[in-house]
Amino acid sequence: MTEVAHFIVEFVNLLILVFWLAILARVILSWFSVDRNSPFYIIASLVHGITEPILGPIRRILPSFGFLDLSPMVALILMTLIQQVLRSAL
């Protein structure tokens, strides 16, 4: 594997790790009520801003299950598949 390919794989792995952690944080934050006066509001809005570009399109494609949002699980599975494809391709 060339240095450039190795760098790209490591960069994508780092990006996926950041998104994994952000999605996990969003799921955990969804269990709590975070309003504008909460000290966690800044963190919650940052996590929402990071994850919504990924979860929003998935949510629009998935059928509605009432209060159950499966988009984080689908996003995590897709990111794992992307990692596997990259590892096997290089």
Side-chain angles (χ1 to χ4, degrees):
M1 183 175 355
T2 67
E3 278 188 46
V4 173
H6 181 71
F7 174 77
I8 291 171
V9 169
E10 290 302 316
F11 180 74
V12 169
N13 281 335
L14 178 64
L15 224 85
I16 288 175
L17 175 64
V18 168
F19 282 123
W20 259 85
L21 294 174
I23 290 171
L24 180 62
R26 182 166 175 170
V27 168
I28 292 170
L29 284 169
S30 74
W31 299 339
F32 303 99
S33 176
V34 180
D35 60 358
R36 290 190 183 271
N37 298 326
S38 171
F40 296 109
Y41 179 75
I42 294 172
I43 295 169
S45 61
L46 176 67
V47 167
H48 186 271
I50 292 170
T51 57
E52 191 56 29
I54 297 168
L55 298 179
I58 294 171
R59 203 176 295 115
R60 284 190 292 273
I61 294 171
L62 284 178
S64 176
F65 293 103
F67 291 108
L68 186 61
D69 182 12
L70 296 178
S71 61
M73 185 174 63
V74 171
L76 295 176
I77 290 170
L78 288 174
M79 287 189 291
T80 302
L81 290 173
I82 290 168
Q83 274 186 317
Q84 295 298 325
V85 167
L86 278 176
R87 285 184 186 149
S88 66
L90 301 174

